[in-house]
Amino acid sequence: MARDLVLSFETSCDETSVAVIENGNRILSNIVATQIKSHQRFGGVVPEVASRHHIEQITSCIGDALRGANVTYDELTSVAVTYGPGLVGALLIGVTAAKAVAWAHHLPLVPVNHLAGHIYAARLVEPIEFPAMALVVSGGHTELVYMPEENQFQIIGETRDDAAGEAYDKIGRVLGINYPAGKPVDELAHKGQDTFHFPRAMDADDNFDFSFSGLKSAFINTVHHADQIGEKLSHEDLAASFQQAVVDVLADKTKRALKEFPVKQLILAGGVAANQGLRDRLTKEIAGFSDTKLELVPLSLCGDNAAMIGAAGEMLYRHGVRGDATLNADPGLEFEWLVDEAK
Amino acid sequence: MKILAINTSNQPLSVAVLDNDCLLAQTTLTTHRKHAEFLMLVIEDLVQKADLKPTDLDRVVVADGPGSYTGIRMATTAAKTIASTLGIELVTVSSLLNLALNIQEKDTLINPIFDGRNQNMFTGLYRVKDGEMQNVIADQHTNLTKWLEAVSHYDQQIIILGDTDPFEAPMREALHSRLAVANPYLGIPSATLLGQYGLDKSPVSSIDAVVPRYLRLTKAEADWKKLHPNEDTHDYVEKV
Ligand SMILES: [Zn+2]
């Protein structure tokens, strides 16, 4: 059987990435040019700077991806690209490059939702079994996505304010940790105890939504108050208390979702899915769901990368999803909400 | 030589397909700014109407700035990706020069202008000499006062074109009868002239290294540079 080969593009934020994926589940190459060092100068991603870096990198990443996969254009089946959500100027570099390649080589173009990519990264390890649930946690997103079948994505809950990763970056700044703060705060948390008992917002509410801005404010107020009275607080305990609150809320809502929507797989995806505290907690909690398997996206594929876009792209291609020369970036792209037919 | 020429530096979008000096097809739109939706569509359409396949192309010529940051990125991304993926040549040309090509008068200084708001401008000074468009004052991001000082050293006629509205009155006050204002339609770039100009220019040696001519740092980078004047800015992006 002929190989299905997707050339995939991801440029939604601060990583320029191009990959070649075989049959939707095997990584032949996955080139990631990260801009983190550049944006660290500014304490966070500056959109115009991100766009400028993407255009510096894009064609060299394409060349590296093809060479790394030892594949020629003639062998490709399709071109897949993230078209949203993300930074519009950043997305446009990948979308334009993907359209140019697709046109130049007569290849079908497949537009991919960035979050579908994060979820389908799981496929690069093991086939996804449906129905499935995904907890997607990243710098820009925190949501629970129910997937009754392949290529169906229904939001059942999401953050009402900050994304979890955003909250990590903001409290990281208060602790003197530069963006991206997720990993250092996670490491710090493992050395401390939950002594501050920050609020678990919306934890008791009868829905699957999240909120992290109250937690972030409580954290910042605690630190500022201590500064004012000249008290020194343990950064380890602060990080541990913050992380415990985040993990509690994410785990509790996920448990509730799994009870209402029994699934074969729970996929933990997105940049914050690399958080060890969250991985450990969900591993423990999933034991209470004997019919559900936990899929932890490998650490190397939690961050933004084009391999995950290729994994989702192959699936979308099979379902007939196509883009044309007019494909535009959609910075606010979202999955649909689950429509509760009982109501 | 089959040439694809692209300019989306500002609101107009202009794309042309040429066979050497001979125009096969051109589209120029000024009605919108949706370059993201229209650029590849127009390229696809024109190459097809010129009875060519993408693989028939030999060279891409792009107006790579200055201009709207998004606009010059669209054209440059499309141009460098097409050239790179097809393994063909890429020639980059200043967007201001592309506009200057609309004026073919000898003994006149040609002054294309893109509005940079608040009396700021992207501009440069050109003239036709020996049948060739020559740059007299380098393209730059500057303000009206400084620009007037720079051009006041010349005593030939200066013809302005492009975003002339905000600058015409103060420039006339300084240059009097030496100032001429081009017909507004000459302020729209022609990809045909761009392609023709790029025909005998040398292609870039590294397509991967091509970036738009922004002529201006982002505010974040400018502020950073003030605080860190000696910082090496070259290895900020790394492949991991
Ligand atoms: Zn992401």
Side-chain angles (χ1 to χ4, degrees):
Chain A
M1 207 186 86
R3 297 193 292 173
D4 178 287
L5 294 173
V6 187
L7 178 70
S8 51
F9 291 77
E10 156 62 39
T11 64
S12 66
C13 190
D14 56 354
E15 258 100 30
T16 315
S17 183
V18 182
V20 178
I21 300 301
E22 184 184 61
N23 300 330
N25 58 17
R26 188 164 161 244
I27 301 175
L28 299 190
S29 63
N30 185 26
I31 309 300
V32 182
T34 179
Q35 312 173 359
I36 285 179
K37 255 170 124 181
S38 178
H39 298 289
Q40 276 178 336
R41 291 177 289 172
F42 318 118
V45 178
V46 177
E48 174 61 23
V49 174
S51 304
R52 291 185 179 199
H53 286 316
H54 284 304
I55 196 168
E56 289 164 16
Q57 299 294 324
I58 191 71
T59 54
S60 100
C61 286
I62 298 171
D64 287 354
L66 289 167
R67 271 190 300 277
N70 198 19
V71 157
T72 62
Y73 285 108
D74 298 341
E75 297 173 85
L76 295 176
T77 314
S78 66
V79 174
V81 62
T82 304
Y83 73 112
L87 303 169
V88 64
L91 288 163
L92 277 175
I93 304 301
V95 168
T96 305
K99 287 198 291 190
V101 170
W103 168 74
H105 302 285
H106 294 285
L107 290 164
L109 177 70
V110 181
V112 179
N113 178 317
H114 178 77
L115 300 180
H118 272 305
I119 296 169
Y120 270 71
R123 215 191 147 189
L124 296 165
V125 181
E126 238 185 305
I128 301 176
E129 288 177 55
F130 299 91
M133 179 81 68
L135 172 62
V136 186
V137 243
S138 71
H141 300 272
T142 306
E143 57 193 55
L144 275 162
V145 182
Y146 178 58
M147 298 174 285
E149 293 173 35
E150 195 175 74
N151 195 27
Q152 288 191 14
F153 303 89
Q154 297 166 339
I155 302 180
I156 59 167
E158 69 178 349
T159 182
R160 300 255 176 108
D161 38 61
D162 293 353
E166 200 179 347
Y168 270 91
D169 286 341
K170 285 177 181 165
I171 69 103
R173 209 167 297 164
V174 177
L175 297 178
I177 298 168
N178 200 351
Y179 129 100
K183 200 175 171 202
V185 171
D186 187 14
E187 284 165 1
L188 212 51
H190 278 83
K191 297 178 197 145
Q193 299 291 325
D194 179 6
T195 55
F196 292 95
H197 309 294
F198 292 124
R200 272 72 170 152
M202 303 180 67
D203 205 12
D205 293 10
D206 188 21
N207 58 38
F208 309 113
D209 285 348
F210 309 97
S211 164
F212 296 104
S213 82
L215 165 61
K216 175 195 68 189
S217 305
F219 182 100
I220 294 172
N221 291 342
T222 301
V223 174
H224 283 178
H225 179 72
D227 282 352
Q228 270 163 11
I229 59 170
E231 193 187 338
K232 263 239 150 296
L233 299 179
S234 151
H235 280 197
E236 285 86 356
D237 289 347
L238 279 167
S241 303
F242 171 80
Q243 175 141 311
Q244 192 60 50
V246 172
V247 168
D248 276 353
V249 174
L250 290 173
D252 288 349
K253 293 282 179 166
T254 305
K255 263 173 19 193
R256 179 173 301 157
L258 291 178
K259 276 179 197 147
E260 196 160 326
F261 299 89
V263 293
K264 291 188 184 152
Q265 271 183 7
L266 170 68
I267 297 166
L268 176 62
V272 180
N275 184 287
Q276 205 51 52
L278 182 58
R279 291 169 93 90
D280 292 347
R281 176 65 176 273
L282 286 182
T283 304
K284 213 176 88 198
E285 298 287 358
I286 206 72
F289 297 84
S290 54
D291 298 326
T292 307
K293 232 177 107 192
L294 177 65
E295 289 298 332
L296 297 168
V297 169
L299 294 180
S300 60
L301 296 173
C302 284
D304 291 348
N305 65 85
M308 69 188 198
I309 302 305
E314 186 277 338
M315 178 278 293
L316 294 165
Y317 175 75
R318 269 190 287 112
H319 285 263
V321 175
R322 299 288 183 273
D324 63 17
T326 64
L327 178 69
N328 202 343
D330 185 351
L333 181 67
E334 275 183 45
F335 293 134
E336 288 185 0
W337 275 80
L338 175 82
V339 181
D340 192 343
E341 280 154 11
K343 277 177 194 164
Chain B
M1 183 189 293
K2 309 282 193 300
I3 294 178
L4 171 69
I6 308 171
N7 184 327
T8 61
S9 312
N10 291 291
Q11 185 156 342
L13 172 155
S14 189
V15 180
V17 180
L18 296 87
D19 186 357
N20 287 317
D21 249 345
C22 171
L23 171 67
L24 301 179
Q26 172 178 292
T27 294
T28 300
L29 305 169
T30 61
T31 43
H32 56 74
R33 213 181 269 256
K34 289 183 181 164
H35 299 326
E37 285 171 33
F38 283 80
L39 177 58
M40 281 311 300
L41 187 70
V42 170
I43 291 174
E44 217 175 288
D45 180 54
L46 287 186
V47 170
Q48 196 185 357
K49 282 181 175 149
D51 238 344
L52 299 175
K53 298 188 296 296
T55 44
D56 294 328
L57 295 171
D58 300 296
R59 174 176 280 201
V60 182
V61 183
V62 64
D64 63 346
S68 122
Y69 294 156
T70 305
I72 59 183
R73 265 198 294 274
M74 301 292 332
T76 306
T77 304
K80 77 185 269 196
T81 308
I82 290 169
S84 158
T85 200
L86 290 171
I88 59 176
E89 295 169 343
L90 176 65
V91 172
T92 59
V93 177
S94 151
S95 310
L96 289 163
L97 187 151
N98 190 175
L99 204 57
L101 292 170
N102 284 343
I103 312 278
Q104 295 288 343
E105 275 168 58
K106 272 191 275 177
D107 304 321
T108 296
L109 293 167
I110 308 163
N111 183 188
I113 299 172
F114 301 148
D115 189 7
R117 284 192 292 271
N118 303 320
Q119 301 261 296
N120 293 311
M121 65 218 299
F122 290 102
T123 193
L125 200 64
Y126 291 85
R127 84 173 141 224
V128 184
K129 202 180 171 195
D130 307 324
E132 178 83 5
M133 187 57 71
Q134 282 192 341
N135 184 230
V136 179
I137 301 179
D139 291 356
Q140 54 195 278
H141 178 260
T142 185
N143 64 49
L144 178 66
T145 314
K146 282 192 197 147
W147 184 247
L148 276 173
E149 201 183 290
V151 296
S152 64
H153 302 300
Y154 299 86
D155 44 17
Q156 288 122 303
Q157 179 158 78
I158 293 180
I159 183 160
I160 56 173
L161 72 166
D163 298 327
T164 54
D165 280 359
F167 305 104
E168 184 182 338
M171 285 184 83
R172 187 169 302 286
E173 209 167 291
L175 302 168
H176 309 286
S177 61
R178 278 200 290 131
L179 185 81
V181 183
N183 184 317
Y185 83 85
L186 295 173
I188 298 161
S190 154
T192 302
L193 294 178
L194 173 68
Q196 195 188 37
Y197 178 85
L199 180 63
D200 56 5
K201 293 290 168 292
S202 4
V204 299
S205 54
S206 165
I207 292 171
D208 288 348
V210 168
V211 291
R213 258 174 250 231
Y214 299 104
L215 299 187
R216 214 183 159 196
L217 282 179
T218 61
K219 188 180 177 305
E221 287 169 304
D223 291 348
W224 170 266
K225 213 173 169 184
K226 254 180 242 160
L227 294 171
H228 309 82
N230 300 318
E231 182 98 0
D232 173 20
T233 60
H234 282 93
D235 55 352
Y236 279 131
V237 182
E238 29 184 19
K239 285 186 181 145
V240 289

